[in-house]
Structure formats: C-alpha cells, structure tokens
Amino acid sequence: MRLGVIADDFTGATDIASFLVQNGMSTVQVNGVPQDDRRLDAEAIVVSLKSRSCAAEKAVEDSLAALAWLQQQGCERFYFKYCSTFDSTAKGNIGPVTDALLAALGETQTVISPALPVNGRTVYLGHLFVMNQLLSDSGMRHHPVTPMTDSNLLRLMEAQATGKAGLIASQTLDRGAEAVRAELAALAAEGVRYVVLDALNEQHLLTQGEALREMKLVTGGSGLAIGLARQWASSGWDREQAQAAGKPQGGRAVVISGSCSTMTNRQVARYRQQASSLAVDVERALEQRDAYAHELCDWVAGHAEEALAPMLFATSEPETLQRIQQQYGAQQSSEAVEQLFASVVRELQLRGWQRFIVAGGETSGVVAQTLKIDAFHIGPVISPGVPWVRSVTQPVSLALKSGNFGDENFFARAQTEFAV
C-alpha cells in the first residue's frame, strides 16, 4: 500500500511528512505537481500545494491534479492535509476540495480530524480547541486571511461543503476501533458525508488510525497521520530506517529567519545569545538588494567556522513590524526581504553552503524554490512537525520551520542534536 498526501501549504506538507516518517513510513515530499514522469521510491508521497487561501476553484483544480499524479504513482489511499486550526472561510477551501476528492474517488464519506494534541490542538464534542481556548477565542480569531470565529467543526464544514456533517465523540473513541467503525457505518446509513472525530490525546489518534486503515480518503491535520502510519507502514514501525534517507548532510550551515510569530521572536532572541546574528535592514533590501546580499554573504562567511551557524533575521516584535510596514508598505517590505533572502541563499549555495535552517512558511518556500529543490526525503524530527529534509537530487539539507513550531532552543538543537 502506498499513501498519497495532498497538503494545502508548504510547511504543512513538511509537518505531516515528519509524522509519517516518525511513525514508520519512508516518505518523499514534492513541491507542486511534478510535470515529468519520475517514479518515487517511498511508502508515502506528500504533494505540497499553495491551495489554502487561493480561490476555491483553483484549490480544487490543483488538488485534483495532485490526486491524478499520486494515482499514477500507485497510491491506493489518500489524505487531504490542512492546518490543525482548520484555516478556511465560509466559502472554503477545505469543503470544496474535500467534495472534489470524494467525487473523483467515487466515495461518499470521509472524516474531519484536525487534532494534534502534542501541539495543543484538540477536538471535544466537535469543537476545536487551541491549548485551553476554543478556536474562536484564540489568536486565530484575528487571522488576516482566514479569521476563525466559530469553533464548531460540523458548522464550519457544512457552511462550505455540500453534504451533512456528523460527530463521533470521545466516549466512542474510548471504546476502541470497532466502536468507531460501527458508528461510521451508522452515520453513513443516515447520509452523513463528513464525520468529525473527537481527539483529546494520542491514544485517540491511534484508535482513529486503526479504525480508518481501510478508508480511501481521510482529511485532517498531521495528528491523524500518527495512527495511520503505524497501521500502514509495510516494514513495521522502524523509525530509524524511515528517517535514514533524510538525515542532514553537508558542510557549512546558516540560519535564516523571516517569521515574525511570537515563538520565532523568542527563538531568535535565544539564538542571538548563542551565535553570531545580524538583523536585515529593510531599507537596504529595498534599495540595494544585490550589493546588500553580497555583503550579507561575506558576513556569513566570516562566521562560518564558529561552533553554531550564523543567523540572518528579519524577525521583529509586533510594534517594530508595524512601524516597518507603515514606513515601507506591508507587501513591499515583505517582498523585499524574501527576494533578499533568495539572493543570499543562491550565492551561499554557490559558495558551498549545504545546510539551511529556515523559520517561516513563506521564507521556507522561497528558500526551497531558490535552491531548485522540488523533492526531498524526510529525515529525523527536530520538534513535532519540523524534520530535517534532504534533497532527492542535490547534497542539500533543510530544516523548515513554520512560525510557531519548535521550542525556544530550536535553532541550536537542530545543529547540536543532529550532527552531520
């Protein structure tokens, strides 16, 4: 059996890939739908799309293209992966994509399971919690693109999809996989198309995996992958074997931080006490990009032999970020920094750098695209949802971290605990 995963953003794809590998499945991730006839050797293949916040029609088109390609790769089970905070609007894109995948596969029922208890995402009586808060009371309520003002997953799904939603509560999960399968069958008889699954702990995810091992299409965050991977891994649960192909390699390393999330700010502050660090000047990024990029590369090279890799960062506190955006424009300043990082990464690769530790979803995408890495093996996990990955075709290793993932010592641990 081969698993095909369709993920709606870049770091989300790496997130689920890491859980698959950690629980025994050799995994390869590709960025976008490949346009060639390559065949990938892995138990699971994850396709990373940019379909979370684009037009619903585009999200459906891209997801169906990914499905068709995964079927050509021989995948027999499929997993639509979205964020553990169910990032979407009343129009989608989770509902429309789920409906399109069900139709393409000829299926009439799937599950909704965004829970990831290890990162504080739980589902109780169909309501999604972030740490100890309802989703609608968390910081996601003010998300600029997908503000989450409702925590009820049944309502959220029915608002953007075409069918009926139902619930399997935690009490049923406590009774085991057979009870879950029986409830799924009963809900199917009632015409329930989307079954929201409660999950308060990892055992619930393991029970979900056992109950859903024969389901053609599942949907959720990365947590559901824990139970499913242990069910589907053909060689048993051999974590080291699954991670071997993605172990970090290469010589010199650099840390690049573009995220301005709360956790990344704490990580940058901690790392500045441990290693050589330099803040990016947005004005120079706007006005002198090429010359400035060369200057930054010279600075990185000057600190290359130190115990911990040097760090370039555009991470800033909310007040500083607001001032920068007011002065230079939000979009212009963001694009200038991303283009600067692209220039820096390109030149560092030419100078022999092979390990890149990156914070921020958009920054991670820019780095991978600049390095022309369109497929990589998934290696050992640094923090939940953040593994080392290694290019399939180049001697390049990456640690790609979305904003709020990882602990305060993430940047140092990525180097000291996973020595080349």
Side-chain angles (χ1 to χ4, degrees), residues 37-52:
D37 58 357
R38 76 182 72 181
R39 295 287 295 181
L40 297 176
D41 181 20
E43 292 176 302
I45 303 173
V46 181
V47 178
S48 166
L49 302 177
K50 293 183 178 180
S51 57
R52 178 169 298 172

Side-chain angles (χ1 to χ4, degrees), residues 284-303:
R284 294 195 64 190
L286 282 161
E287 298 178 358
Q288 306 169 355
R289 188 183 73 198
D290 292 341
Y292 187 36
H294 185 81
E295 180 181 318
L296 292 176
C297 289
D298 286 343
W299 179 87
V300 171
H303 296 275

Side-chain angles (χ1 to χ4, degrees), residues 119-417:
N119 278 353
R121 276 62 164 163
T122 55
V123 179
Y124 179 63
L125 296 180
H127 289 73
L128 182 55
F129 286 78
V130 177
M131 300 303 180
N132 295 318
Q133 291 183 307
L134 284 165
L135 175 68
S136 55
D137 293 333
S138 74
M140 284 301 299
R141 181 180 183 86
H142 305 294
H143 193 284
V145 179
T146 54
M148 302 307 296
T149 58
D150 192 354
S151 305
N152 188 303
L153 292 167
L154 285 78
R155 284 198 299 262
L156 288 167
M157 197 63 190
E158 288 185 346
Q160 58 184 271
T162 59
K164 181 180 178 182
L167 171 69
I168 295 183
S170 59
Q171 295 91 332
T172 301
L173 284 150
D174 288 336
R175 299 205 307 271
E178 283 297 329
V180 174
R181 281 192 285 264
E183 188 66 17
L184 282 168
L187 290 170
E190 297 173 10
V192 171
R193 188 171 174 84
Y194 325 104
V195 181
V196 175
L197 301 176
D198 273 3
L200 302 177
N201 49 57
E202 185 169 303
Q203 182 55 53
H204 284 160
L205 297 178
L206 298 180
T207 299
Q208 290 181 21
E210 184 180 352
L212 302 172
R213 61 174 297 159
E214 301 302 325
M215 184 169 274
K216 190 85 167 182
L217 172 70
V218 299
T219 86
S222 57
L224 178 56
I226 297 172
L228 286 174
R230 297 191 195 181
Q231 294 292 317
W232 289 341
S234 62
S235 57
W237 187 20
D238 189 337
R239 181 181 302 179
E240 289 190 7
Q241 179 181 342
Q243 293 175 346
K247 282 186 176 180
Q249 64 176 13
R252 294 174 170 178
V254 64
V255 177
I256 295 176
S257 181
S259 169
C260 291
S261 72
T262 300
M263 177 53 74
T264 303
N265 267 285
R266 289 163 58 186
Q267 290 162 341
V268 165
R270 176 69 175 273
Y271 198 68
R272 291 180 69 183
Q273 299 172 355
Q274 301 169 301
S276 297
S277 306
L278 184 64
V280 168
D281 184 325
V282 176
E283 184 174 0
R284 294 195 64 190
L286 282 161
E287 298 178 358
Q288 306 169 355
R289 188 183 73 198
D290 292 341
Y292 187 36
H294 185 81
E295 180 181 318
L296 292 176
C297 289
D298 286 343
W299 179 87
V300 171
H303 296 275
E305 305 305 322
E306 296 174 359
L308 290 174
M311 175 175 67
L312 299 174
F313 65 96
T315 301
S316 57
E317 297 288 347
E319 297 80 9
T320 304
L321 178 63
Q322 185 177 20
R323 177 181 56 77
I324 291 171
Q325 291 177 339
Q326 289 175 344
Q327 184 174 357
Y328 301 109
Q331 183 173 350
Q332 294 91 326
S333 57
S334 176
E335 289 180 354
V337 170
E338 300 300 348
Q339 290 169 8
L340 175 70
F341 281 149
S343 297
V344 167
V345 166
R346 188 179 300 111
E347 183 169 343
L348 286 177
Q349 185 184 31
L350 291 174
R351 295 190 189 191
W353 263 255
Q354 295 177 308
R355 285 183 294 144
F356 298 85
I357 301 167
V358 187
E362 291 298 321
T363 309
S364 294
V366 166
V367 170
Q369 184 178 25
T370 300
L371 295 172
K372 295 182 169 55
I373 298 176
D374 61 359
F376 41 76
H377 298 288
I378 307 299
V381 173
I382 307 165
S383 292
V386 192
W388 272 105
V389 302
R390 194 165 77 192
S391 171
V392 170
T393 58
Q394 304 178 51
V396 174
S397 292
L398 307 170
L400 307 171
K401 186 195 84 69
S402 59
N404 280 314
F405 278 25
D407 58 24
E408 286 190 13
N409 201 39
F410 174 86
F411 294 135
R413 285 198 310 102
Q415 301 167 67
T416 57
E417 294 184 14

